[in-house]
Amino acid sequence: MRKTIPLSAGWQFLKKAASVQEAVEAAASGEAVCLPHTWNAVDGQDGGNDYYRGTCWYIRELSEEEAAGERLFLEVNGAAMTADVYLNGKMLAHHEGGYSVFRVELTEELAQKNILAISVSNEDCDTVYPQKADFTFYGGLYRAVNLISVPAEHFELLKDGTPGIKVTPVVDLETKTAFVTVETWHNAADVKITVNGETKTVEHHAEFTIENVHLWDGVDDPYLYTATAKLSSGDEVSARFGCRVFHCDPEKGFFLNGRSYPLRGVSRHQDLKGKGNALSYEDHASDMAIIRELGANTLRLAHYQHAQEFYDLCDENGIVVWAEIPYITMHMSAGRKNTLDQMRELITQCYNHPSIAVWGLSNEITAASAVNDDLLENHRLLNDLCHRMDPTRLTTMANVFMLEIDSPILEIPDINSYNLYFGWYLGELEQTDEFFDEYHARFPGKVIGFSEYGADANPAFHSSHPEKGDYTEEYQALYHEHMLQMIEKRPWLWATHVWNLFDFAADGRDEGGKHGENQKGLVTFDRQLRKDAFYLYKAAWNKTSPFVHLCGKRYANRAEEETEIKVYSNLRLALHRRYAPCKTDREDGVSLPYPADGRAPDRSSCR
Ligand code: GCB
C-alpha cells in the first residue's frame, strides 16, 4: 500500500547560508515553522526591491513511524528557486526551478535517527528562470512536502516528478466516442488499469473505448473520468481526465467540442497579501470561487507552473488554462537547459489535466533581449519538446508590444498572443484596436490572442475626470470598458486575459500610493475588495447570478454639482446617466432618481 504523510509541522528554519553540518548543529536555535512557508511574506511585499534573496535551511527530524515503509520517497511540491536535499548529512538531490514537483528516494540512507535538511535558495543567478520580471521571487518551501512510502514494486516517482500514469483521450465528436490510452511507469511485471468500469491487465499501457462519452465541456459541464492503475503489490495511482477536443480558427477563434467558445478571462499569480506564495488549499479554492463569480472561462496561470491543486480546481470548474514556464523578460544564454527542464517537468506533471489547452513557451522574452539565434534556437527546442511530449495541445507565446509582428520568433509557436498596454503605459486605448486589426489584415491565416492588458487602480484614488496614469478606480473602469468592447468586436481573438485578476507583489514597484504592489488587479491583493472594473466583466461574463453594481461608491468626497452614477449589471437594463443630488417635490419626501434636467432617463446607453 502507498502511504503519504504530509510533513507540515516540526521544521526548524535558519535564515542563513551554512554547510549542512553547521545548519544541523544550529537547528535548535532556528525558528520553528510549519509548511507551506516563505521567508519573503513581509519583505517581498513592502517595496524597495530589497527582499532577502539568499539561502535558507529547513531542518526536521523524521520520527520512526514516518521513516518506516519498504521504499521511502520525499516529495517537494515547490522549493523556490533551487534546493539541495540532505538526509543525515548526505546530499541526495539538487533541484533547479521553484515551481515544479520533485521527489527524492531516501530509503538507502535511512538510519536509526533521521535528520532531513533542505537548503533552499532564491539568490540571483544566470542559469535558473525567472531572474528579471515584475513579481516577487519568493523563497521557501512554499508548497506541501510529503513522505511517500511504497512497496518494492511501485509506480515511478522520480522521473521529472511524474505521477506515474498518463492518460490521453481522443474524442470523435460524430460518434460520441472517446479512445483513451493509459500509459503507466512501474517496476512490476504487469498492472491492472481501470477506466469507466472496465479493467485490463497489461504490461504498461492499455486502450479503452468510451461510447456515448460525457464530454468535459467547459464551465457548463466539466465532467471528469478517473483512470486507476494498480500493481499486485498494492501500489496504486490514479488520474482524473476529461474528454474534450479543441481547436483555434484564425477567423473564428477558439472552439471547444466543435462549438465556438471564445476564451475570455484573466491571469492569476499565486500570492496573497501577508502570506506570500505559501497558500493553503482554502486560499486556492477561494480564488477559484472569485473566478467563477466573475464568470471567466479561461485563466492564464502566469508566469510559472502553479500548484497541482489549482490545476485540479480548474479541471473541476471547467476553466480552460494557459500553462507556462518562467522563461520571461530576459533571455539568458546559460539558461537554456533550465527552460527545457522546467518545460519537461510542467508537461510531465500537468499532462493529465483536461483544463490545460496550451503550453506557453515564454513571456515578453524580447523585452530585454534581442531576437538572436540563441533565443530563436531556445524557442525552437522548447516548441519541439512540447510537441514531442504532447501532440494533443498547442504551443503559444505572450509577446511584448514592441516585437515586430513579422518577427521570425512568431513563426515558432502554433498560435500567438500579444501583451498590449496602450492606454496605460503608452499611447491611446484605440491603438490596441489598430494593432490587432493590422495584424489580422496582414496575417489573416494566423491565430492571434490578447494575453495581457490592464491598468493599475488603487481603490482609494478617485476622479471625476479620470486620465491615463492616475491610478483611479474610475480610469481602470474606463480602460476596461474600452477593451471589453474592442474584444467583443473581434471574435477572432482566440483568448483574452485581463492582467490581472488580483493585485500581486512586485517588490520593485512603488507607485499609485502603494509600495511593492502591482495594482492592475480587478480585486485587491487581500481579496477583500472588488474594484468597479470587476463588475464590468462580471456583467459581461456571468450569465447565472443576476446583479446590479453601482460604481464609485468609494468616491465619497465629490466636488461637482452633478455626479455620474454608473451601473454595471448583467440584467438587460442598466442606466448610465448624470444625476444631480435629488430635490424632491413629493409629499412623502422620497427622492426619485431623475436626471438633473428633469427629463426621463435616457436609455440609449443601455448595455
Ligand atoms: C507585462 C508582464 C507582467 C507585468 C505586466 C505589468 O507585460 O508580462 O509580468 O506584471 O506587464 O503590469 O506591467
Side-chain angles (χ1 to χ4, degrees), residues 569-605:
S569 174
N570 54 0
L571 296 167
R572 286 184 50 127
L573 182 70
L575 302 176
H576 175 183
R577 285 286 296 166
R578 288 180 176 280
Y579 296 111
C582 297
K583 287 206 188 76
T584 183
D585 50 14
R586 286 174 53 138
E587 282 176 7
D588 56 9
V590 170
S591 300
L592 290 175
Y594 278 105
D597 55 13
R599 282 183 289 117
D602 173 7
R603 288 162 199 239
S604 62
S605 60

Side-chain angles (χ1 to χ4, degrees), residues 378-414:
N378 203 146
H379 279 78
R380 279 191 207 103
L381 290 170
L382 280 171
N383 197 51
D384 293 348
L385 175 70
C386 294
H387 287 148
R388 222 172 29 248
M389 289 185 71
D390 184 2
T392 72
R393 292 182 173 94
L394 300 171
T395 55
T396 190
M397 273 176 66
N399 296 299
V400 67
F401 79 95
M402 66 263 206
L403 180 75
E404 298 294 340
I405 60 176
D406 57 1
S407 166
I409 199 167
L410 292 165
E411 302 295 329
I412 297 175
D414 299 324

